[in-house]
Amino acid sequence: MPVKHEWRKKEKSLYLPKTLPEVIDIPKLNYITIHGESSPAEETFTNCIGALYSLAYTIKMLPKKMDEKPRGYFDFTVYPLEGVWDINEKAKESYSGEIKKEDLIYKLMIRQPDFVELPFFKEILNYIKNKKPNPLLNQVNFETILEGKCVQMLHLGRFEDEPISFEKMEAFAKDQGLNRLSKVHKEIYLSDTRKVAPEKLKTVLRFRVS
């Protein structure tokens, strides 16, 4: 019986870094993604997450029932939620170092295994639209993303304390002779905020460098 691919065991360098900054080179990977602009506290944000996960779990479960499975298919553990964060153009014009949550722009995403390609994604998307209609599914895309060279580290604790970790990461990048390309950054959420206390949250922080 084939062994299930578990990212926590097989891909530790991408998803389970240490609590000290490090340089990593991220290859091209496939994702299902959805864009939004709102505070993470708003219902829109939660609904975007729900749309992504409903699709991600259908991609995992439905092939098990198929007589003809996708080429290269294997069972896997659903990857964690990730988010790329920026602020809107109006906020950038008046930026003074403080970010308001309502000015945030995000791209939420869940990585997909290599056997998930665009035709299969479209097939599953059409299936779930008929099975569990959700207007937000129309906004979900399939993307191949190359992050390239990045600095990353594991942040322990509240989201509000992330600037402390980013300061460490920027100082590390400078020591390594690297330049942070922009203030855009990625977060990978290893904890369920509904079950884990804020001070115990585990979040991978990552930004691109050159």
Side-chain angles (χ1 to χ4, degrees):
M1 185 175 178
V3 177
K4 181 192 294 186
H5 181 85
E6 298 186 42
W7 53 267
R8 285 184 178 273
K9 295 179 180 179
K10 301 290 188 180
E11 300 178 89
K12 291 182 179 181
S13 63
L14 292 178
Y15 298 103
L16 298 171
K18 294 181 169 47
T19 54
L20 293 172
E22 63 182 11
V23 179
I24 186 169
D25 198 22
I26 313 292
K28 286 183 179 178
L29 300 171
N30 295 332
Y31 297 86
I32 52 174
T33 68
I34 189 168
H35 290 78
E37 182 174 346
S38 69
S39 165
E42 291 187 14
E43 188 177 3
T44 303
F45 182 77
T46 304
N47 291 342
C48 284
I49 294 174
L52 276 185
Y53 269 115
S54 66
L55 183 55
Y57 275 98
T58 304
I59 289 171
K60 170 183 167 56
M61 300 305 295
L62 193 61
K64 295 181 179 182
K65 303 175 184 177
M66 291 178 168
D67 293 331
E68 187 174 339
K69 299 184 181 354
R71 184 177 60 184
Y73 167 77
F74 54 87
D75 192 13
F76 66 99
T77 301
V78 171
Y79 283 89
L81 179 72
E82 308 183 27
V84 174
W85 293 90
D86 197 1
I87 55 176
N88 61 41
E89 292 303 319
K90 186 176 180 181
K92 288 178 182 177
E93 291 173 4
S94 58
Y95 180 71
S96 60
E98 184 178 345
I99 295 175
K100 298 178 182 177
K101 289 184 178 180
E102 59 268 24
D103 293 332
L104 289 169
I105 295 176
Y106 50 83
K107 179 195 282 190
L108 298 175
M109 60 185 72
I110 298 176
R111 186 180 155 198
Q112 299 302 301
D114 291 343
F115 73 82
V116 179
E117 298 178 335
L118 185 58
F120 181 66
F121 161 77
K122 289 181 177 179
E123 180 183 346
I124 298 296
L125 185 60
N126 288 331
Y127 170 87
I128 195 172
K129 281 181 179 179
N130 292 324
K131 198 81 171 175
K132 300 177 182 177
N134 179 343
L136 284 174
L137 289 170
N138 293 321
Q139 299 177 33
V140 178
N141 296 302
F142 180 83
E143 296 185 55
T144 299
I145 299 172
L146 173 63
E147 288 183 71
K149 184 179 287 188
C150 298
V151 168
Q152 69 174 12
M153 70 175 282
L154 181 65
H155 171 77
L156 300 177
R158 304 183 313 152
F159 297 131
E160 290 83 358
D161 295 332
E162 287 179 359
I164 298 171
S165 292
F166 279 119
E167 285 182 10
K168 294 178 183 178
M169 293 166 69
E170 289 180 349
F172 170 82
K174 186 176 181 180
D175 288 344
Q176 298 294 312
L178 300 169
N179 295 312
R180 182 173 180 177
L181 293 180
S182 76
K183 288 297 182 181
V184 175
H185 73 274
K186 174 177 273 193
E187 301 180 358
I188 304 176
Y189 308 104
L190 303 180
S191 307
D192 187 336
T193 55
R194 299 168 299 178
K195 301 176 182 178
V196 178
E199 63 273 13
K200 294 183 179 181
L201 292 174
K202 294 182 178 180
T203 310
V204 180
L205 302 180
R206 185 184 292 164
F207 57 69
R208 297 180 64 212
V209 294
S210 62

